[in-house]
Amino acid sequence: MSNTDVVAEVRSGTKRYPGVTALSDVDFSVRRGEVRALLGKNGAGKSTLIKILSGAEQLDAGEALVQGTSLKGLGTREVAGLGVATVYQELSLVPEMSVAENLFMGAWQRSRGVIDKRRMRADAKAAMARIGVDLDIDRSVGSLGAAGQQLVEIARAVWQKPALLILDEPTSSLAAAEVRQVIDVARRVAEQGVAVVYVSHRMDEIRQVADSATVVRDGRIVETLPVRTASTREIVAMMLGAAPEAVAARVRRPSSEPPVLTARGLRSDKLDGLDIDIRPGEILGIAGVLGSGRTETLRALVGLDRPDSGEVRLRGEAVRPGAFTAMLRGGLGITPENRRRDGIVPLMGVDENIVMGDLRGVSRSGVLDRKAVGQAAQALIDRLAIKTARPGTPIGNLSGGNQQKVVLARWLHAGSTVLLLDEPTRGVDVEAKRQIYDQMRRLADEGRAVVFVSSEAEELADVCDRIVVVRGGRAVAELSGDEIQLERVLTIAIAEE
């Protein structure tokens, strides 16, 4: 392709924030019809580069251009007018509104001052057809699954007929079956001549969707390379700045201890007679596609949801269904699937988020002891290598991986002996994932029971001592030792009923 095919570029771009250089002398360009993956750890500079290209931020030095026009002094609205559309990880939909209404929110077609619903519905059908997706445009967005909502966001962006489409972690909340839909849409859009910048931590996904990948580290472009010929090890080495340590042969340690937590015959809207045993001293993985009942299993075990029937026993004693407080006192802790919505209080400090699971140990006569709070938090910040300027820093300022470690620290502070981790590595970078894996292993070695739910079967196969595969709300298989093979886990998870 010639230079005339370049849709967006940054030339010698530098962006500084107080105390940090987010981008340093960056040269970047993407061409018409190309899907360019953007790879790097959290904090590497990916988000800043996206903000520069979308007009949300301005360079301190260098130049950014879209279709030959400089972005200097332009905001997001003006840059959108140049043909840039961005779909962020956090969706911006209104759940109560229909698909059609969300597609044209803020730009509803009008006739004589009144919203033209007939035209809006016709355009909504055309918008979905453009990305090759068949969704009921009259259905409320809130009734769609995560994949459907993500596709509505993409359709809204594509309807603007962009020259550059930026997709920021578009599949972070999706399971494997749903990821394929987003990949197909991204490829379809590129075939229409749109340049696509695609951010994701999932290497298998990147290989399916991208033509090339730009690796960013510490605010600099390390290299741009074709993804189909580069090994994952090479790319990880570029992201980390050094070749990753050789991974020792996985030693699986299924526990022979009596179960600390058992469930028999759990039934609800999403569970269909589920049975499970959780033993101390091991990492138990729960595998299954989105909607299989993984999250519902954890919520029923910890008492957040009350099953219609079935029994849960903690250390051999029957527990009243839905007894969340009693389960917490009995040593259970849970990291929720959506950590930002359900797991943290963004404006509160890291220290406060850590100790909120058990205030008794840091209180004197019913009043919080600030010194005790600081000491308790600092010990766990050190243990989990949480990167924060100080314990009192608002947790909302931390990267996703560090927020996740704070949520885990909360239950360590509370003394939890059974840890239910729902997608703890979602949306975090390679380094943070490895640190979370190490902490899970350490907790199991200390004799705690660790339950690990993940949409990525690869990491379950790498990390777990035992895996239970859930399908249709039932535990359909249990694998341990040499039985744990990626292909086998996936085959069981996606098999037809």
Side-chain angles (χ1 to χ4, degrees):
M1 291 186 180
S2 67
N3 288 336
T4 58
D5 290 313
V6 173
V7 173
E9 58 184 321
V10 175
R11 300 172 181 169
S12 302
T14 296
K15 177 63 181 178
R16 301 182 185 89
Y17 296 105
V20 94
T21 300
L23 294 177
S24 179
D25 198 28
V26 163
D27 290 311
F28 174 86
S29 65
V30 60
R31 297 174 181 271
R32 182 171 57 85
E34 176 186 12
V35 180
R36 172 71 60 80
L38 204 55
L39 305 176
K41 299 189 303 180
N42 287 341
K46 305 187 304 295
S47 295
T48 303
L49 182 55
I50 286 173
K51 290 175 182 177
I52 296 297
L53 291 173
S54 65
E57 295 282 2
Q58 294 283 309
L59 288 170
D60 296 316
E63 187 176 24
L65 304 98
V66 170
Q67 301 198 88
T69 300
S70 173
L71 305 188
K72 186 174 182 179
L74 302 184
T76 54
R77 186 179 294 274
E78 292 88 353
V79 173
L82 294 175
V84 179
T86 306
V87 177
Y88 291 103
Q89 186 175 358
E90 300 296 331
L91 303 183
S92 59
L93 304 173
V94 179
E96 296 77 15
M97 294 171 62
S98 71
V99 169
E101 290 167 331
N102 271 278
L103 283 171
F104 303 108
M105 186 167 51
W108 290 313
Q109 299 93 331
R110 297 177 182 272
S111 175
R112 298 180 181 179
V114 178
I115 294 174
D116 188 338
K117 292 188 177 181
R118 178 178 296 180
R119 182 182 169 194
M120 180 175 68
R121 294 182 74 258
D123 285 352
K125 290 180 180 179
M128 300 311 298
R130 179 170 291 173
I131 64 169
V133 172
D134 183 18
L135 278 180
D136 182 355
I137 61 168
D138 296 315
R139 186 173 172 180
S140 69
V141 162
S143 68
L144 299 175
Q149 293 181 9
Q150 186 69 70
L151 292 170
V152 172
E153 280 275 14
I154 295 173
R156 184 166 66 184
V158 172
W159 183 249
Q160 301 169 28
K161 297 183 178 178
L164 172 65
L165 175 64
I166 301 172
L167 301 176
D168 183 15
E169 293 280 4
T171 61
S172 64
S173 62
L174 308 184
E178 289 75 29
V179 168
R180 184 71 247 176
Q181 289 181 281
V182 175
I183 289 173
D184 289 344
V185 168
R187 292 301 319 174
R188 182 186 181 98
V189 170
E191 288 167 3
Q192 295 170 10
V194 178
V196 179
V197 173
Y198 194 100
V199 181
S200 175
H201 291 295
R202 297 174 170 179
M203 281 308 306
D204 58 336
E205 175 184 329
I206 290 298
R207 293 190 193 284
Q208 295 177 62
V209 71
D211 302 300
S212 55
T214 294
V215 180
V216 187
R217 185 180 74 241
D218 299 330
R220 296 178 180 273
I221 300 295
V222 178
E223 190 169 345
T224 296
L225 68 168
V227 293
R228 290 177 178 84
T229 58
S231 71
T232 299
R233 184 178 178 83
E234 287 178 288
I235 292 173
V236 169
M238 292 177 195
M239 291 168 62
L240 298 180
E245 297 178 4
V247 178
R250 179 76 176 89
V251 178
R252 304 193 188 280
R253 310 171 191 174
S255 174
S256 58
E257 296 290 322
V260 65
L261 185 66
T262 63
R264 293 290 180 269
L266 295 185
R267 293 184 183 276
S268 67
D269 289 345
K270 295 293 181 68
L271 300 179
D272 184 22
L274 183 130
D275 299 333
I276 196 166
D277 293 321
I278 298 168
R279 300 186 177 94
E282 70 175 359
I283 302 174
L284 170 66
I286 298 183
V289 300
L290 192 68
S292 62
R294 301 168 313 186
T295 293
E296 290 78 11
T297 297
L298 297 195
R299 290 180 62 87
L301 290 173
V302 79
L304 282 169
D305 292 341
R306 182 171 183 170
D308 299 326
S309 62
E311 180 182 63
V312 175
R313 287 185 173 270
L314 179 61
R315 300 182 184 89
E317 299 293 326
V319 180
R320 179 173 55 85
F324 179 59
T325 302
M327 295 303 269
L328 296 187
R329 289 174 179 167
L332 270 70
I334 184 168
T335 67
E337 182 179 16
N338 188 326
R339 64 173 170 268
R340 188 163 188 87
R341 184 188 66 198
D342 303 323
I344 65 171
V345 182
L347 297 181
M348 289 176 61
V350 170
D351 50 1
E352 295 166 315
N353 273 273
I354 287 175
V355 302
M356 67 170 55
D358 182 7
L359 298 176
R360 294 169 298 180
V362 291
S363 299
R364 301 291 179 267
S365 302
V367 178
L368 278 179
D369 182 332
R370 297 304 308 181
K371 182 178 180 181
V373 169
Q375 290 174 340
Q378 189 62 57
L380 287 163
I381 288 170
D382 294 340
R383 170 173 174 168
L384 275 70
I386 298 169
K387 294 181 181 179
T388 177
R390 54 188 178 83
T393 298
I395 191 174
N397 293 354
L398 272 58
S399 69
N402 284 296
Q403 289 178 4
Q404 189 67 71
K405 287 189 279 186
V406 170
V407 178
L408 180 58
R410 177 184 306 151
W411 299 116
L412 299 188
H413 169 73
S416 301
T417 55
V418 181
L419 293 157
L420 311 179
L421 312 181
D422 195 354
E423 299 281 9
T425 61
R426 173 179 290 168
V428 307
D429 63 54
V430 174
E431 184 178 39
K433 280 189 177 185
R434 187 172 300 156
Q435 291 172 340
I436 292 171
Y437 299 154
D438 289 345
Q439 287 300 323
M440 287 193 288
R441 182 75 270 158
R442 179 176 175 181
L443 293 168
D445 289 345
E446 292 172 356
R448 305 184 203 233
V450 179
V451 181
F452 179 25
V453 168
S454 175
S455 298
E456 299 185 41
E458 294 90 341
E459 62 179 355
L460 291 176
D462 287 343
V463 173
C464 298
D465 300 308
R466 188 164 54 96
I467 293 178
V468 170
V469 184
V470 177
R471 191 175 69 235
R474 292 180 289 112
V476 295
E478 180 178 313
L479 308 175
S480 60
D482 293 339
E483 297 173 329
I484 298 179
Q485 298 173 3
L486 176 59
E487 183 178 357
R488 187 170 186 180
V489 173
L490 289 172
T491 300
I492 297 170
I494 66 176
E496 296 182 7
E497 292 292 331

